[in-house]
Amino acid sequence: MVHYPDCPFCENSNSSLSVVDVEFDGILLKAFMCNNCKKYLGFFQDAQSQIDELKEKIESIESELSDLT
């Protein structure tokens, strides 16, 4: 069973929280949003997409280097 915390704004615990993409001043963040009142409860930065992008660049460079030898 999943227990969802009460929203501090609307005190509704029947609806789950969602993780949504938001942008502030050009900075991409993830936010916890109440599905009932649509208010944001917290923010965090998702670095996984940036890490995946760097891994792809490294693999591309390694491939180019191996083609040179």
Side-chain angles (χ1 to χ4, degrees):
M1 182 169 97
V2 177
H3 175 73
Y4 294 104
D6 293 341
C7 174
F9 300 106
C10 67
E11 297 180 359
N12 186 4
S13 64
N14 295 330
S15 61
S16 63
L17 302 176
S18 295
V19 176
V20 295
D21 294 322
V22 293
E23 183 176 349
F24 291 108
D25 270 345
I27 300 172
L28 298 174
L29 299 172
K30 299 277 186 182
F32 294 107
M33 184 180 76
C34 175
N35 288 337
N36 187 46
C37 67
K38 306 294 184 200
K39 291 191 177 184
Y40 297 121
L41 305 176
F43 301 92
F44 64 97
Q45 189 169 14
D46 180 25
Q48 187 61 45
S49 60
Q50 294 171 339
I51 291 171
D52 291 340
E53 186 178 314
L54 287 173
K55 284 181 180 178
E56 288 177 8
K57 287 181 180 179
I58 290 171
E59 290 172 357
S60 173
I61 291 171
E62 286 176 342
S63 173
E64 290 176 7
L65 285 175
S66 66
D67 289 344
L68 292 174
T69 58

